Amino acid sequence: MAELIVFFSRGDENYVNGTIRSLKIGNTEVAAGILQKLTGADMFKIEPIQEYSKGYNECIAEAQADQRRNARPELKKYPVSIAGYDTIYLGYPNYWGTMPMAVFTFLEHFDFAGKTIRPFCTHEGSGMGRSVEDIKGLCPDALVETGLPIYGGRVQRSEREIKEWI
C-alpha cells in the first residue's frame, strides 16, 4: 500500500504560543517530516507560484483575501500522478478556519476517487476548523478519515501523538 504525504507549510513569521516568531521550517513541514520518518511515505510540498509575505500580519491578510475571493492560486508544480498511492496524508496549517487556498488548488487538480485521505493540521488553538468538511466536499469519492490537529507550538514534541494517529 503506497502512501504519499502532501503538505503546505510556510516558514518565516508565524504565530506560535501567543507570540510571533520567525521559523526556518514551518510547523506543518516539521509534522510532515515526523510522519515520513514513521511511515516511509513519499513527500510532496505544495508551493504556490505567488508565495505569501514573510511577515505574519501581511501573510494572514493575504490568506484571508484569498479565501474571501475563493482563489485558486497557481502552484509551482504537481506530482506527475497520484495513481500509485492508496493513502494520501494531507497536511496544512489552519488558515481562517480551513486550509490555505493552495491546498484547494491541489485537491481540485487530481481525482481522489477510491483514495484514503488522512488530514493533519497545525494550529494554535483552532483545531481542524472546517477543513475536513471542505476536503470531503472537494473529494466526494475519497474516504476522508479523522484528522489530526497538532498544536504548532508543540510540533517538535508531537511524534507520539502522530504515531498513535497512524
Side-chain angles (χ1 to χ4, degrees):
M1 177 195 262
E3 299 176 320
L4 176 65
I5 301 164
V6 175
F7 68 95
F8 176 95
S9 190
R10 182 186 157 281
D12 303 315
E13 285 188 354
N14 275 257
Y15 185 75
V16 181
N17 291 328
T19 61
I20 294 175
R21 293 197 354 222
S22 187
L23 304 177
K24 278 187 175 179
I25 299 172
N27 290 326
T28 307
E29 188 166 354
V30 171
I34 294 168
L35 187 56
Q36 184 186 41
K37 182 180 110 178
L38 295 171
T39 64
D42 294 338
M43 281 209 331
F44 179 82
K45 184 175 183 178
I46 297 171
E47 298 177 278
I49 290 173
Q50 179 65 47
E51 295 180 6
Y52 287 121
S53 294
K54 293 184 183 301
Y56 175 74
N57 291 318
E58 295 86 355
C59 170
I60 63 167
E62 292 163 359
Q64 187 175 44
D66 277 355
Q67 195 177 96
R68 283 188 175 144
R69 67 177 195 278
N70 202 26
R72 294 299 188 268
E74 287 186 61
L75 304 185
K76 291 181 182 178
K77 62 185 176 186
Y78 293 91
V80 173
S81 171
I82 61 165
Y85 298 102
D86 303 305
T87 300
I88 312 290
Y89 292 97
L90 181 66
Y92 46 86
N94 183 324
Y95 278 13
W96 297 105
T98 191
M99 308 169 286
M101 298 313 288
V103 179
F104 284 73
T105 302
F106 181 88
L107 291 175
E108 289 176 348
H109 185 79
F110 291 105
D111 179 3
F112 287 87
K115 307 281 184 203
T116 299
I117 300 175
R118 304 202 64 208
F120 63 99
C121 174
T122 56
H123 67 96
E124 285 299 316
S126 50
M128 300 294 292
R130 67 178 180 281
S131 64
V132 173
E133 292 80 11
D134 287 342
I135 295 166
K136 288 177 180 178
L138 291 165
C139 306
D141 298 322
L143 170 62
V144 181
E145 294 191 343
T146 301
L148 176 66
I150 303 166
Y151 274 94
R154 296 198 298 255
V155 72
Q156 299 287 352
R157 301 180 306 280
S158 66
E159 185 170 334
R160 191 178 83 229
E161 70 181 296
I162 293 171
K163 192 175 199 172
E164 289 170 4
W165 175 67
I166 294 170

